[in-house]
Amino acid sequence: MFYRRKHLLAIEGLHPPEIGHLLELADSYVLLNRSGKTQRDLLRGRTLINLFFEDSTRTRTSFELAGKRLGADVINMSVSTSSVNKGETLLDTAATLNAMQCDLLVVRHNQSGAPNLLARKVDASVINAGDGTHEHPTQALLDALTIKRRKGRIEGLTVAICGDVLHSRVARSNIHLLTTMGSQVRVAGPPTLMPAEVAKFGVTVFHDMKEGLAGADIVMMLRLQKERMTSSLVPSEREYFRFWGLDAEKLAFAKPDALVMHPGPMNRGVEIDSAVADDPVRSVIKEQVEMGVAVRMAVLDTLSRGDGRNDA
Ligand code: ASP
């Protein structure tokens, strides 16, 4: 057992054997899921709460499915139905969850760091399902699993992460994971959507999409996150697509067998052209969703075994 932490709050700081362990276990869950078998004993009697302060389709349902496939009692709490709307603070919510004796807590929040705060206050193992612009660790793990299964490795690949890097927790988690596992990571996007000092994370920055894509093995597109923009950072969606939208012409700059990825939800015609998103050979976007269930099963499995409970 290589992952001895109580929580999964971020990819930053994880060591290659910890990531390797989660990916290997997730790979075995892909096979189990494809065979139609379940493993309902592992989390029998355990309670998993999905606490979502922000919308989600894929992440919430895949955690729910993963928990149920492993036999847990799964409860979904969303902001509109919880007392958060009545002014309950995050810490009161934590006390409530403790009283319910929750074992595994999956949290999504629009504030970076909210899952870390909860992890200090609840008895449960906390899994970050996306916090603000900070991290989305299970997304990076499912992306890595998709890449590893398709390309046979992660090390040595050139991965271009393109678009709205500034607001993307997916980009941050992927940058940490891919650089830790030995990929060459590039980020490509307009200067207004690029975080200052992103280069300090060991990535190469491009402000021209075609240059960023040249010779890439993997093209990872990001959603333009208008809901997180406080001012107008892009001229118009049409203009954005012209320079930063992935279409066949731009994709031709990447390697001929380059894979196209997107975490969803996609803005078709803004950051990605439908013909590319739905290309059955190049696009692995649907496969990413499948990998999401397996990765979340591996994470729940690993944390529920309770090794190293004193570790962060
Ligand atoms: N679903 C991903 C997230 O929650 C990506 C996105 O929303 O664009 O961060």
Side-chain angles (χ1 to χ4, degrees), residues 241 245-248 267-278:
F241 182 74
L246 185 68
D247 54 12
N267 291 313
R268 291 170 180 266
V270 179
E271 71 264 357
I272 193 162
D273 185 38
S274 275
V276 173
D278 301 331

Side-chain angles (χ1 to χ4, degrees), residues 150 248 251 256 258 260 268 272-286:
R150 281 293 187 126
L251 182 58
V260 174
R268 291 170 180 266
I272 193 162
D273 185 38
S274 275
V276 173
D278 301 331
D279 182 328
V281 180
R282 310 292 293 276
S283 167
V284 291
I285 296 169
K286 286 198 198 96

Side-chain angles (χ1 to χ4, degrees), residues 58-59 108 129 136 139 169-170 223 225 227-228 263-265:
R58 276 156 291 268
T59 306
R108 170 168 288 192
H136 191 352
Q139 177 73 46
R169 53 200 179 199
V170 173
R223 183 172 64 89
Q225 302 205 9
E227 79 279 17
R228 295 194 208 281

